[in-house]
Amino acid sequence: MTKYELLSGNEAIARGVYEAGVKVAAAYPGTPSTEILENVARYDRILSQWAPNEKVALEVAAGASIAGAKAFAAMKHVGLNVAADPLMTFSYTGVNGGMVLVSADDPAMHSSQNEQDNRYYGLIAKLPVLEPADSGEAKDFTLKAYEISEVFDTPVILRTTTRVNHSKSFVAINEPAEITVKDYKKDPGKYVMTPANAVGRHKAVEERRLALTEYAGQTELNRVEAGSGDFGDIGFITAGISYQYLKEIMPDASYLKLGLLWPLNENMILDFAAGVKQVIVVEELEPVLETQIRAMGVSCRGKDIIPRQGELSEETLRRALAGAGLPVWVTPEPAYVSEQKLPVRPPILCPGCSHRGMFYTLNAMELCVSGDIGCYALGSAAPFESIDTTICMGASVGGAFGMELARGDGFAEGCVAVIGDSTFFHSGITGLMDIVYNKGRSTVIVLDNSTTAMTGHQDNPGTGKDIKGEPAPLIDIEMLGASLGIRRVRTVDPFDLKACREALEEELAAPEVSLIVARRACALYSKLRDPACRVEEGDCVGCKACLKLGCPALSVSDGKAKVDALMCVGCGLCTQVCPKHAIRKAGGSHE
């Protein structure tokens, strides 16, 4: 009898990787994909690794595939932008061992800087794209993706979205296939993409596209569900989580439920459309399916009624379909709306966050700050309001140099780049190298909290541990900076506000590039918990200077500062900013 387990989509994909007989897996953490490789790494027989960035992760997987092993890579949607360079050419080379790439999209931008739709990468790279609708399909589609990869000599994109990644449903648990490695032989015509060879491989890609198009009309990944009653004449073409929402509110409609989203089989689409009176394409974000279906000559509705921004939901679709005059027999309003009114809780830096002291100083000095991706992006919010720009991983370093070039040395004396340690290893090093090589004078601050904090404390090249928590070589940021030729490299404790300010003043005044490493372990990762600070109410004048730290343990009540002893971790920053020394560390001392 088949055993079932309740798994998240990410756990299910990891299980699929295990059951498929994958030997090599690589990723860079990024919500909503992070937990995939964390779960893959629990299967000891799989060689798993956190790569410095997504490009490297895909290149490692590509190399393993070409050498004959089944390989796997995972990343969030913006991570695929980083890996797009090898992806486009890997499409030409094809595979040896099966290769699957997860692109986890983030509709509604729960933890992302944009809302791009990575189904387009399938069209651009001419790679098959599979999209599961729940955890059971997430595992099954992973297995199917490896089959498609090896049959059609192609990398396969498994596209997911946040809701499927993090929701749970039942998954069939089966025995894993054996790990096998195919023979490897030199084949430059297939794997060396010089222009002369690439011309021939492009022809192979087009032949593969035609074969996959025919396959799309036969595979069980795509299925028709005939409707019934008054609603059977309404035909939905949909995929992924959108299918689940629709089935909840219109179970009796007809469905063409797509699991293989590229390429589409035109005959399958036309046959389905001919069997219903009205075709509605329902998909999150961009009209990827709708545009192709309209190009086939099918009259359909889609983004004229379905929102193009954010996540869909049952409520959203009820309103959209009812508003378009469709016979939705379920009320357009949710059946139950909670009366509970919860307070708004904006994201804040944690108590004892090692970034707080640096951003307090940057704010006090009124500097221009070229920012980056990580927890420290909260430095843009009140009360710090320090960060001027946040674009993508590593952009802080190149951005600061660009500002210097645009506005001159005078501007550079009041501008810094801030970047976390994991982001620095990801894509900040090359920007720093550019400043050195092109004789810049920008000041770069690496906020080293000794972990990849924002995605859940994964290790990176600067932590001294690998994905399994075993000892690994530690990349020394200061030595790395010195090896690039930077003469002004210094380390500060971000809990020492005086030292932070002195370092910034000196390095900003220097007529050459400077590297400041602000090192203090993440409070959650290091479990920082010194005795709570306390307020001598007789000395407190209620000036609220302490609130400029943005610490959730601090408040003012009845004209006096208060410290929440349950929340305070005793970092001591508040003792340094209180002008009356009314806030003190345990034992009565103040800084």
Side-chain angles (χ1 to χ4, degrees):
M1 187 171 68
T2 302
K3 176 184 175 183
Y4 289 87
E5 291 185 8
L6 189 64
L7 301 178
S8 69
N10 283 344
E11 292 169 327
I13 292 169
R15 181 70 196 186
V17 170
Y18 172 61
E19 291 186 9
V22 170
K23 183 173 184 178
V24 177
Y28 182 82
T31 305
S33 71
T34 305
E35 299 84 6
I36 300 174
L37 204 71
E38 288 180 332
N39 282 279
V40 168
R42 293 173 182 169
Y43 300 109
D44 288 337
R45 72 177 195 163
I46 302 175
L47 301 176
S48 304
Q49 63 168 259
W50 289 128
N53 63 34
E54 295 87 357
K55 179 177 184 289
V56 173
L58 181 55
E59 289 163 348
V60 168
S65 168
I66 292 169
K70 287 183 179 177
F72 175 77
M75 56 202 66
K76 68 182 295 177
H77 62 298
V78 289
L80 190 49
N81 298 336
V82 179
D85 191 3
L87 179 71
M88 295 300 160
T89 305
F90 193 24
S91 173
Y92 275 37
T93 68
V95 303
N96 186 9
M99 163 63 205
V100 174
L101 163 69
V102 168
S103 170
D105 289 9
D106 191 18
M109 296 174 283
H110 297 283
S111 185
S112 304
Q113 64 267 41
N114 73 17
E115 204 174 25
Q116 71 189 48
D117 190 327
N118 275 9
R119 292 177 295 171
Y120 280 122
Y121 271 113
L123 280 67
I124 297 169
K126 300 185 179 180
L127 295 175
V129 179
L130 278 61
E131 181 170 350
D134 58 24
S135 299
E137 286 191 350
K139 193 212 83 167
D140 293 342
F141 283 20
T142 301
L143 292 168
K144 195 68 177 178
Y146 279 102
E147 178 185 319
I148 293 171
S149 177
E150 296 195 335
V151 169
F152 292 95
D153 188 13
T154 180
V156 176
I157 297 174
L158 182 67
R159 187 254 190 172
T160 62
T161 58
T162 301
R163 203 56 54 192
V164 171
N165 288 112
H166 292 162
S167 297
K168 293 196 174 189
S169 59
F170 285 105
V171 176
I173 303 300
N174 301 304
E175 291 299 313
E178 290 185 18
I179 292 179
T180 57
V181 179
K182 294 182 177 180
D183 291 339
Y184 170 74
K185 63 178 182 180
K186 287 182 179 292
D187 189 352
K190 185 175 192 295
Y191 296 119
V192 180
M193 287 302 94
T194 56
N197 292 337
V199 168
R201 290 306 302 171
H202 190 184
K203 182 175 184 293
V205 168
E206 295 305 325
E207 291 171 349
R208 182 180 73 199
R209 177 182 59 81
L210 295 175
L212 281 165
T213 301
E214 183 178 350
Y215 171 79
Q218 305 165 356
T219 176
E220 68 276 15
L221 291 167
N222 302 324
R223 67 174 185 265
V224 173
E225 299 176 3
S228 61
D230 296 337
F231 305 98
D233 287 338
I234 300 174
F236 288 105
I237 301 178
T238 189
I241 196 65
S242 301
Y243 166 79
Q244 305 287 14
Y245 298 146
L246 286 168
K247 289 292 284 188
E248 288 290 327
I249 62 174
M250 297 192 74
D252 295 332
S254 295
Y255 286 88
L256 173 53
K257 194 271 188 189
L258 297 173
L260 179 60
L261 308 190
W262 193 90
L264 297 178
N265 182 281
E266 184 171 338
N267 290 333
M268 178 183 66
I269 301 292
L270 294 176
D271 287 347
F272 177 77
V276 295
K277 291 183 178 178
Q278 184 172 189
V279 175
I280 306 169
V281 182
V282 178
E283 53 192 324
E284 283 184 323
L285 301 181
E286 297 299 308
V288 177
L289 299 176
E290 181 186 349
T291 301
Q292 297 176 79
I293 291 167
R294 285 184 181 276
M296 296 172 186
V298 176
S299 176
C300 63
R301 303 198 71 175
K303 289 304 172 184
D304 59 323
I305 57 174
I306 306 299
R308 194 164 179 163
Q309 294 176 265
E311 279 189 303
L312 298 181
S313 66
E314 292 175 30
E315 289 73 23
T316 300
L317 289 176
R318 281 193 188 101
R319 293 189 181 98
L321 297 174
L326 291 167
V328 180
W329 64 97
V330 181
T331 172
E333 295 301 320
Y336 170 75
V337 177
S338 173
E339 299 277 334
Q340 193 174 27
K341 301 298 181 184
L342 298 176
V344 176
R345 297 184 64 189
I348 56 174
L349 296 177
C350 302
C353 176
S354 59
H355 304 322
R356 179 170 281 109
M358 183 57 73
F359 279 110
Y360 175 86
T361 306
L362 294 172
N363 173 271
M365 296 178 67
E366 298 182 341
L367 299 177
C368 171
V369 179
S370 179
D372 226 297
I373 305 297
C375 299
Y376 45 88
L378 293 171
S380 63
F384 307 114
E385 299 176 333
S386 296
I387 293 180
D388 294 57
T389 64
T390 299
I391 299 174
C392 68
M393 301 281 280
S396 62
V397 184
F401 188 33
M403 290 176 172
E404 172 192 332
L405 294 173
R407 305 194 67 88
D409 284 358
F411 188 82
E413 291 175 5
C415 181
V416 299
V418 294
I419 185 168
D421 51 322
S422 184
T423 311
F424 178 72
F425 293 124
H426 179 285
S427 50
I429 297 172
T430 47
L432 186 59
M433 192 184 308
D434 182 56
I435 299 173
V436 175
Y437 175 66
N438 287 294
K439 306 179 184 67
R441 57 162 297 168
S442 298
T443 299
V444 176
I445 306 169
V446 177
L447 303 172
D448 183 4
N449 61 4
S450 303
T451 187
T452 311
M454 187 171 70
T455 51
H457 300 113
Q458 290 77 31
D459 285 295
N460 63 56
T463 65
K465 296 179 182 177
D466 64 16
I467 193 171
K468 295 181 181 293
E470 297 173 354
L474 186 152
I475 307 301
D476 187 296
I477 296 172
E478 289 90 339
M479 290 181 63
L480 182 58
S483 73
L484 295 178
I486 301 174
R487 295 183 296 181
R488 302 189 66 87
V489 179
R490 63 195 296 173
T491 306
V492 296
D493 180 353
F495 281 0
D496 187 336
L497 297 181
K498 181 181 178 183
C500 287
R501 185 164 193 129
E502 288 177 352
L504 284 167
E505 289 174 345
E506 291 174 14
E507 300 311 325
L508 286 166
E512 58 185 297
V513 60
S514 298
L515 176 62
I516 300 173
V517 181
R519 179 170 291 118
R520 170 71 74 147
C522 169
L524 296 180
Y525 185 64
S526 65
K527 297 181 173 61
L528 171 66
R529 192 74 191 184
D530 289 340
C533 297
R534 59 188 179 84
V535 178
E536 289 290 340
E537 291 195 1
D539 295 332
C540 179
V541 296
C543 67
K544 301 182 182 179
C546 55
L547 299 188
K548 293 181 180 179
L549 286 167
C551 178
L554 291 167
S555 62
V556 172
S557 178
D558 299 326
K560 300 290 183 180
K562 304 291 182 184
V563 176
D564 185 334
L566 293 177
M567 195 172 290
C568 177
V569 299
C571 72
L573 285 175
C574 55
T575 68
Q576 300 175 58
V577 304
C578 178
K580 299 297 182 181
H581 305 303
I583 307 179
R584 303 176 185 179
K585 286 190 173 182
S589 64
H590 60 76
E591 298 294 328

